[in-house]
Amino acid sequence: GTGFVNVRLEEEKPIFNKQRIDFSPPEKINHFAVCNNQLCMSLGKDTLLRIDLAKPDQPNQIELGRKDDSRVHKLFLDPTGSHLVISLSTSECLYLNRNTQKVRSLSRWRGHLIESVGWNKLLGTETNTGPILVGTSQGIIFEAEISASEGSLFNTNPDQYFKQVHSLEEDGRPAPVCCIEVERGPESKVVIIATTRKRLFQFVGRVAEGSEQQGFSSVFSQNQELLPSFQEFPFNMGYSEITFYTSKLRSCPKAFAWMMGNGVLYGQLDYIRPDSVLSDVQVWDYTPDIDFSFNKPISIVLTQFHFLLLLPDRVKAICTLNGQVVYEDVFPDKFGTLKKMIKDLAGGLVWIYTEKAVFRYHIQREARDVWQMYMSMNKFDLAKEYCRDRPECMDMVLAKEAEHCFQNKRYLESAKCYALTQNYFEEIALKFIEAKQDEALKEFLLKKLNNLKQSEKTQITLLVTWLTELYLNHLGLLESAEGKHGVFQETRDEFRKFLSSSKHKECLYNNRTTIYDLLASHGNVDDMVYFSVIMQDYERVISHHCQHDDYSAALEVLSKHCDEKLFYKFSPILMQHIPKKVVDAWIQMGSRLEPKKLIPALVNYSQMGSTQQVNETIRYMEFCVYQLTVTEEAIHNYLLSLYAKYKPDSLLLYLEQAGTHASYIHYDLKYTLRLCAEHGYLQACVLVYKIMELYEEAVDLALQVDVDLAKSCADLPEDDEELRKKLWLKIARHVVQEEKDVKKAMNCLSSCNLLKIEDILPFFPDFVTIDHFKEAICSSLEEYNQHIDELKQEMEEATESAKRIREDIQEMRNKYGVVENQEKCAACDFPLLNRPFYLFLCGHMFHYDCLFLEVTPHLSTYKQTKLGELQKKLAAATQTSKSRHRPAPKEKEEGGDTASLGKESAGVSREQIKSDIDDIIAFECVYCGELMIKSIDKPFIDPQKLEEEKSSWL
């Protein structure tokens, strides 16, 4: 069944649609010609009617002015519709141009009964025909030219020349030239086709480009050596007619049809063929109803797929594809006998006339049923060509083609066609399965899959899994077959291409488990790995390589796809087998890997593994610490543990490089100390103690290694002299008591200026002679003497200084300054003497309140607070003194002494407060002292009040 429903909503118009022209001729129609929408007809005895079909309401009638005995034999109209040649029965010819009313005689043509004219389609214009060929009833072919212009003084005739170029014969006698056609093929080729009653002649020659005006005589002369190429048929019905089909206007005809005594010869025109222009030639025999005694064919017209045959009372249409009569139209008797049928190339209309009426046929979509004919002829490509825009027809053609191929055992082609049809999928699939045609079935499924839309997910899944199974079966068979390696490789490539198809990626991904199961069930490991890579399922690929001990391949996949999680997962097993390559890969990955997460891989094998694994572990740890500058404590601690166990030399180097500053140390100090102590690396322990600032422990341990190391430790606590002295004493005691080296002990004295001889004397045994340190004792005593002298000197200088200060104070008490009455305050510029003021040694003078305002902002918070408190106290003291100065009531007079005493004490207090305020405010001149220097970086306007200040200026 098909998925198409063929519905035609309205009855389709027939291909050949006849229409009678609304025209009643005043006299009977003798002859008729139509070209380029120009219609000419000969009426009655002497009238010529011309109608421009673009303006049918403006007919033009001309009288020919002929002698009584002459009548019109034939009319010839050129392809432009401009030149009309009227052949008369009296062997005369007349000429009429479209643009004139004047009928002119062609005097050079006189004496010949003209049967045919071959117009020049290349050079013909509205005013000039160019060289043309003219065929006569005596078989002579003339070349002529007609010009519509009036001509020169000496030549007023329209005919320019008229010369014989060839003659045709039949059975050794001249035969009328029934038709003549001139065509220009490619490469300057000229083809002339001429027919007599029984013969069809071809003349082919080349005319050099630019020399077309010289005419056709050269074409005929080129054919003189050989007999003219012709086809002959035995039966003669007194005339013949040839017609051509041109697909486009002004292009070469593609096909021909020749109506003659034995039937219709028809075929294609091939201008390149050397021996004959005619190709694919067939003869259509007349049907039994065509009887020459009373029902002779009169005219023929060729269309794209049909030729129309005119009989006295009807028109038959015969399909050129199969020779079947597809249409027959009988005309009523009332119109009279049908005379002639003509096709106008310009409009594609076919005209038929009787003596009383004119008809025309519209040919509409004649290709509509062609596909069926081609299909029945098994010409499927052509059939498809003609039903491109009709899917229901296309489906039928494809189904027929598929069936045809299947029956002829061309299964692959059949599968391709079936996949494009709407036929039931299951039906077709079963057909191929029953025929055991797996390859064709695969082709069918592939094509079907490609035609599915992305939304048809279920169908896609079904086809993808089925195809996978088919491919795997086929590969299995090919693999076991001998001598099929090439085919096997080809099929595998095809299968892999199918698996990696981007179009079905989503489906393959969603059903990857099924595909894996299929691949596994067939034991197809290589393709499973390939599919895993496509699905980016690298874990499966790596696991596969590891299971097959192909660790390098596993690492290669890891390195190629740079998946960190997979590195963490597979590094332990790879590190066991290929440590160097693994570490190289880690280093290549750089900072993308977190070293902390790789520790399991490192620890696992460094504990039990070979030297190579240990060395590689250390190499990676060093890369992390020195190249990646990893700061994680675990990494540093682990590296230290490896150094302690396997590379003790690097341990001390690492600790020294790490420095002593806490921010540069990324290892755990206590862990390192324990590690070094366990392995007995005392020097390293000393270094750690120094970093931990446990100097006593460092010195104690250093003394077990080297006195110089201990000395370097003893000098470290620079700010704590007491501790330093204690450390040096430890060293001295060690040197004296353990090493019993007096000289070294003396060196300790010179190394540390905090130690004196008396500090280390108690360490010496009682029996030691004084000789060794006599010198040290003497120098110590000398130092004491020198120190006493220095102290004396200092005391004398101090006494002298005190004496000078006392004199200065006495002098200051008597010092004064003169203030003029016009002097002004340095701050407010008002007269100074109006209010309390200060005078400084530098000469600046300020009002008390002005100075107070200038100084206060620059004071420290503490001083500002103190100043506030002092001011409050001063105000309170002033208030008290005022209340004390008021007159007391009489009865309390005896209390006078108390009041005066109180006043005295309050006064003292007030003076003291003022003095304290002066100490703060008038400590120094605000313009010359330190305050001014300190305020140099402060802005003139307080930043918080800047906006306010700005807006006040606007």
Side-chain angles (χ1 to χ4, degrees), residues 8 29 62 105 122 126 189 203 303 307 324 326 361 483 509 518 707:
R8 296 240 169 125
I29 305 170
I62 296 172
S105 176
L122 181 73
E126 285 190 13
K189 198 184 268 188
F203 305 96
T303 64
F307 57 82
Q324 300 291 312
V326 293
Y361 279 105
Y509 184 78
L518 283 171
V707 174

Side-chain angles (χ1 to χ4, degrees), residues 40-41 47-50 60-64 75-78 81-86 93-106 119 126 129 146 148 158:
C40 301
M41 58 179 97
T47 309
L48 193 73
L49 185 69
R50 293 189 297 180
N60 176 249
Q61 199 166 317
I62 296 172
E63 297 305 316
L64 295 177
L75 296 180
F76 305 101
L77 189 59
D78 84 308
S82 304
H83 308 280
L84 178 69
V85 171
I86 305 155
C93 271
L94 304 175
Y95 169 72
L96 180 62
N97 188 272
R98 174 177 166 182
N99 300 322
T100 63
Q101 297 288 320
K102 187 178 176 186
V103 179
R104 299 164 76 192
S105 176
L106 299 172
W119 298 101
E126 285 190 13
T129 61
I146 303 170

Side-chain angles (χ1 to χ4, degrees), residues 354-392:
T354 69
E355 288 182 347
K356 302 175 188 173
V358 178
F359 301 90
R360 70 177 173 197
Y361 279 105
H362 282 269
I363 298 169
Q364 291 175 314
R365 293 181 52 237
E366 65 170 316
R368 67 180 78 162
D369 297 324
V370 165
W371 64 273
Q372 278 177 304
M373 292 170 200
Y374 279 133
M375 184 172 78
S376 60
M377 292 157 74
N378 293 339
K379 292 185 177 177
F380 299 110
D381 288 344
L382 287 166
K384 284 186 271 192
E385 194 68 41
Y386 285 100
C387 56
R388 270 189 195 290
D389 51 350
R390 294 165 71 185
E392 73 281 1

Side-chain angles (χ1 to χ4, degrees), residues 164 495 745 845:
Q164 183 177 342
F495 177 46
M845 306 168 203

